[in-house]
């Protein structure tokens, strides 16, 4: 582990991405402990996503299981590349000390990201009766709780890293957008509420390149109202799941709860993002 040091300089564009991965591969080449940590999480992630995806798809057919295994491998590679590229950001916040391991908070965030592909499969595949709904709830609920678990571990045990501060909001965006689509497919959410939740989480990610092209560098971490909006989304999901379970009026309850809780906090979250962008330094 290095002593205190300065954070890596801001990067942007294709050149910045190339430089980031060049530094990442350099660190992995010269730091055996970092390679071992990465290998452990990549191995765990591969076993998890393949077992999850194949286990769901084999309920449909052998061909579906084979295609699911291939899709899971491709998704595992994509998230794995994100972890590799994040190696230069393995610096303790806020003092900038470099560490040679990913840690449980970042690893759990990666596992949640890996789970998105098989979780969507659970909702989309033609499983018999309400089996898709039951399996989606059984797996989606505990996976959603990892959002709270990785944050608690980072704050109370550590490490709290620059990578985690960037990875956690992106992981939330990916997971909750996927969960919203899956929730609509299994009848938990009406499609209008699904679209609102997807827009809430994917919109800021799509806007990030535009913000960076304006040479502004807002902080990549949760906002005050962003956290509250995520809590509201979680509660609405939870309540509508029970309404769907007992074959209640999902559409009516979604309007009563979704408009004030999800929609109201979303407006305040967008205001938070606009203010953060305006106050961000220009580089």
């Amino acid at each position: 582990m290095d002593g205190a040091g300065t954070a890596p300089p801001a990067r942007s564009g294709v050149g910045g991405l190339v430089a980031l991965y060049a530094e990442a591969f350099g660190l992995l080449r010269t730091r055996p402990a970092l390679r071992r940590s990465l290998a452990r999480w990549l191995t765990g992630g591969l076993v998890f996503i393949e077992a999850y995806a194949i286990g769901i798809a084999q309920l449909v057919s052998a061909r579906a299981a084979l295609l699911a295994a291939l899709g899971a491998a491709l998704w595992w590679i994509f998230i794995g590349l994100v972890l590799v590229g994040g190696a230069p950001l393995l610096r303790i916040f806020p003092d900038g000390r470099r560490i040679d391991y990913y840690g449980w908070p970042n690893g759990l965030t990666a596992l949640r990201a890996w789970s998105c592909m098989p979780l969507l499969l659970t909702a989309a595949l033609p499983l018999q009766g309400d089996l898709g709904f039951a399996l989606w709830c059984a797996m989606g609920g505990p996976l959603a709780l990892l959002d709270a678990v990785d944050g608690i571990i980072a704050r109370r045990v550590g490490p709290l890293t620059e990578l985690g501060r960037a990875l956690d909001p992106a992981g939330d965006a990916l997971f909750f957008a996927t969960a919203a689509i899956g929730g609509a497919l299994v009848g938990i959410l009406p499609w209008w509420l699904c679209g609102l939740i997807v827009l809430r989480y994917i919109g800021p990610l799509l806007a990030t390149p535009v913000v960076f092209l304006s040479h502004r560098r807002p902080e990549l971490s949760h906002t005050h109202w962003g956290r509250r909006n995520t809590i509201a989304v979680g509660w609405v999901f939870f309540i509508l799941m029970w309404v769907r379970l007992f074959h209640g009026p999902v559409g009516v309850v979604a309007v009563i709860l979704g408009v004030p809780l999800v929609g109201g906090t979303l407006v305040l979250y967008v205001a938070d993002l606009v203010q953060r962008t305006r106050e961000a330094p220009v580089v």
Side-chain angles (χ1 to χ4, degrees):
M1 182 183 302
D2 288 348
T6 58
R11 300 174 171 88
S12 61
V14 175
L17 187 64
V18 171
L20 180 71
Y21 273 89
E23 182 179 353
F25 285 121
L27 289 170
L28 289 167
R29 185 175 59 253
T30 58
R31 296 172 180 260
L34 183 59
R35 289 199 303 272
R36 289 193 296 269
S37 178
L38 176 64
R40 284 193 294 269
W41 284 110
L42 289 179
T43 301
L46 180 61
V47 172
F48 167 70
I49 190 174
E50 289 290 354
Y52 188 178
I54 294 172
I56 294 297
Q58 59 88 26
L59 296 174
V60 176
S61 68
R63 181 174 181 272
L66 180 61
L67 292 174
L70 177 59
L74 294 174
W75 185 243
W76 171 78
I77 290 172
F78 174 72
I79 300 300
L81 287 174
V82 174
L83 276 186
V84 170
L89 299 179
L90 286 171
R91 292 176 177 270
I92 298 295
F93 177 84
D95 61 27
R97 288 182 296 113
R98 190 184 295 282
I99 58 175
D100 287 343
Y101 61 97
Y102 281 82
W104 279 97
N106 294 324
L108 291 177
T109 299
L111 285 178
R112 191 156 49 103
W114 274 315
S115 76
C116 289
M117 181 269 181
L119 187 62
L120 193 58
L121 271 183
T122 305
L125 287 174
L127 301 178
Q128 185 176 9
D130 272 349
L131 182 59
F133 167 73
L135 291 174
W136 189 91
C137 293
M139 293 301 297
L143 288 168
L145 291 177
L146 288 181
D147 177 40
V149 172
D150 59 15
I152 292 172
I153 293 175
R155 290 188 298 271
R156 297 187 179 181
V157 180
L160 178 59
T161 63
E162 294 290 352
L163 175 61
R165 284 165 55 82
L167 201 60
D168 191 48
D172 284 351
L174 180 62
F175 181 82
F176 281 105
T178 301
I181 296 171
L185 288 171
V186 298
I188 293 175
L189 299 179
W191 281 102
W192 68 265
L193 184 54
C194 166
L196 187 64
I197 294 173
V198 170
L199 179 64
R200 177 264 189 259
Y201 286 104
I202 299 301
L205 289 182
L206 297 178
T208 298
V210 177
V211 173
F212 275 26
L213 286 174
S214 69
H215 300 288
R216 294 206 176 257
R217 294 296 181 269
E219 184 181 359
L220 297 176
S221 63
H222 287 290
T223 67
H224 174 80
W225 280 106
R227 290 184 182 277
R228 279 152 181 76
N229 179 260
T230 294
I231 293 172
V233 168
W235 274 109
V236 169
F237 254 114
F238 180 73
I239 294 171
L240 289 178
M241 178 191 71
W242 285 99
V243 175
R244 163 69 175 81
L245 179 64
F246 290 102
H247 305 286
V250 169
V252 174
V253 178
V255 171
I256 294 172
L257 296 180
V259 172
L261 292 179
V262 178
T265 54
L266 176 59
V267 171
L268 296 170
Y269 167 62
V270 171
D272 259 1
L273 289 182
V274 171
Q275 180 179 1
R276 174 177 286 189
T277 302
R278 286 177 175 175
E279 296 175 351
V282 178
V283 298

